[in-house]
Amino acid sequence: MRVLGIESSCDETAASVVERDPDSGRARILSNLVASQVAIHAQYGGVVPEVASRAHIETIVPTIEAALKQAGLTFAELDGFAVTHGPGLVGALLVGVETARALAYATGKPLQGVNHLAGHLAAVHLYDDTMPLPAVPPWPHLALLVSGGHTALFRVQGHGDLIALGSTRDDAAGEAYDKVGKLLGMGYPAGAKIDALAARGDPLAHAFPRALPGREDLEFSFSGLKTAVATRVEKAPPQNEQELADLCASFQAAVVDVLVRKTRKALQQQGLRHLVVAGGVAANQGLRKALAAASEADGFTLYIPRVAYCTDNAAMIAAEGAALLQKSTPSRAELLALTVDPGLPIARART
Ligand code: KG4
Ligand code: ZN
């Protein structure tokens, strides 16, 4: 099944065509375009919602056209469409959803609304011609989603069947990276820059707090850590590259430590042996290394998408959409009713 996916929930306008094999569950990427607005928002130090919506309007049609062209296909050769309908910025989501609805209407093909978080998790099923076929995680499995907007653990029972086990009480992990980067004058987004500097620093240089470490629940909190780094920088700003690297390494150690600790706890509590990690922060080298070590020690299997598929893209939305479309085709009434839900909820586990 060939599906064109559209993603516009935040600051990337993305379109992609994937071909999903229903037997293996893998989705081959035929094209994957991401028009990033990072340069536009960088001057403000973060995403400005109204500016994002306007940029999506300008970019979405050419991005979709380019995705089809790169895949060498016409609309007639597609089996359907998928679009992120939440969670995200309402104005930004609207651009993608209304464009997708118009396409589905005009072509008579089915359209599947996709939860952005479930989309991130589907990135493990993606592959392209430059990589070996990825291993497919069996269900049920645990998922750690770490992005700029979310930090959460899910029990995943199937496509679109997620149960939230815990999430952040305040900042998301990626948000903490971006805020710390801002106060270090690194610009937005800062995750990859801090990650690169951390590799050359001493993680023991500063003892930053690990929030909620001893608690049995699976909640996260990163705002105290961000404040601790801010206080430290205010008192004693880094004087050279090495001191900056040490600060980044110590901050990263605190983030990674908590993420890995709660993930291990969740695997144990849920009796699960397979872990999927996704979202922009899953690109983090320190986190990837620490999770690989934990998987060795605890004996669980780790699945992490390619770095390029960890951050926002439309291939993951197309892959999740194709999986849902292969389960059942939404009716015309459902197409008409498809709407934006900026706070799209996921069922929470009873505690
Ligand atoms: O998943 P994503 O593209 O967008 C959201 O859905 O939020 O994630 C973007 C976030 C940003 O906060 C960015 O700083 C962070 O992912 N990020 C990283 C790395 N690469 C991107 N954080 C830590 N280490 C990285 N290597
Ligand atoms: Zn995302």
Side-chain angles (χ1 to χ4, degrees), residues 168-172 176 179 209 211 220-229:
T168 183
R169 291 286 173 93
D170 39 58
D171 293 348
K179 285 180 175 169
F220 300 91
S221 166
F222 292 105
S223 75
L225 169 61
K226 173 198 66 194
T227 306
V229 177

Side-chain angles (χ1 to χ4, degrees), residues 247-260:
L247 197 74
C248 290
S250 301
F251 161 73
Q252 180 150 305
V255 175
V256 168
D257 192 20
V258 173
L259 290 175
V260 173

Side-chain angles (χ1 to χ4, degrees), residues 21-33:
D21 170 22
D23 298 325
S24 69
R26 294 189 188 98
R28 185 159 84 95
I29 298 177
L30 305 182
S31 67
N32 183 27
L33 277 98

